[in-house]
Amino acid sequence: METGNPRDTGTAGPRQPRQPEQPAEAAATTAAEAVTVGAPAAPGDEPRWIALPPGLLKVRRLMLVVWLGLLTLAAGLVPGLLAGPGWAAFALLPLAVTVWGWVMLERNWRSWRYAERSDDLLISRGVLWRQETVVPYGRMQLVEVTSGPVERHFGLASVQLHTAAAATDATIPGLVPAEAERLRDRLTELGEARSAGL
């Protein structure tokens, strides 16, 4: 039922449907997404964690299948040929370890992450025993990018951090080479700036 004067035409035009307000959580998410990748967090901010790329998981699973596959074959063939077919059941043990390792490698890969803060770099890892390493930029003496033959074949590299105290040395494995070089250059620049200010 409408109220008001039916002769009153009004000048506001047709009524627009009311737009729902954006929830505060969505606004916070949009603001968080606006932060550029690799930029260190401001003092007092929560660290923005960066996960490792999936290439590292693929390489580790491939190595698991190759080595334990050969062990499974040897554990089945050698006893089966020498002692009888029943002894070939020994191959089930390395096969079970392969299945268990397949799952655990993914859990371990998911546990690795790092975050650049204003004064230090955080590296977190571990499934059963979590380990978080804090590497102050001012303590860094050497940052290097390494890549072995297998890593190079799959387009991966590791960043190794060497500090004044050996206990705070750290490694971030399985990075894309471009990200590894960016991180090396960024950490070297921050380390020089912090050590110059000491």
Side-chain angles (χ1 to χ4, degrees):
M1 175 181 231
E2 293 186 23
T3 59
N5 190 342
R7 285 176 273 168
D8 188 13
T9 57
T11 57
R15 174 180 271 184
Q16 298 292 329
R18 186 175 180 187
Q19 297 292 330
E21 293 183 13
Q22 187 178 14
E25 294 172 5
T29 304
T30 306
E33 290 172 353
V35 178
T36 58
V37 173
D45 288 351
E46 287 294 319
R48 194 175 58 81
W49 294 101
I50 302 171
L52 297 184
L56 179 66
L57 177 62
K58 292 177 184 175
V59 170
R60 288 183 173 174
R61 280 182 166 173
L62 177 65
M63 299 303 289
L64 174 80
V65 168
V66 167
W67 290 110
L68 285 180
L70 292 173
L71 185 61
T72 301
L73 191 62
L77 281 178
V78 173
L81 293 174
L82 297 178
W87 291 92
F90 275 113
L92 294 177
L93 182 61
L95 189 61
V97 172
T98 304
V99 173
W100 176 79
W102 186 272
V103 175
M104 290 306 293
L105 281 175
E106 181 173 0
R107 291 184 63 192
N108 179 269
W109 167 74
R110 288 186 186 281
S111 74
W112 275 88
R113 56 189 186 156
Y114 64 97
E116 297 174 63
R117 297 197 301 186
S118 57
D119 294 321
D120 48 38
L121 178 75
L122 297 178
I123 302 172
S124 179
R125 63 196 177 280
V127 178
L128 296 177
W129 288 274
R130 298 286 301 165
Q131 184 176 359
E132 192 166 291
T133 305
V134 180
V135 185
Y137 297 136
R139 297 279 180 96
M140 289 185 194
Q141 294 183 331
L142 176 65
V143 181
E144 59 182 347
V145 175
T146 61
S147 184
V150 176
E151 286 180 309
R152 275 197 313 275
H153 180 74
F154 287 95
L156 299 174
S158 298
V159 174
Q160 293 186 346
L161 312 167
H162 302 280
T163 62
T168 56
D169 285 359
T171 302
I172 304 175
L175 296 175
V176 176
E179 170 64 7
E181 290 171 9
R182 182 205 68 80
L183 192 58
R184 177 198 60 199
D185 295 342
R186 177 74 178 158
L187 295 177
T188 302
E189 176 188 338
L190 289 170
E192 289 173 354
R194 295 300 189 279
S195 61
L198 291 177

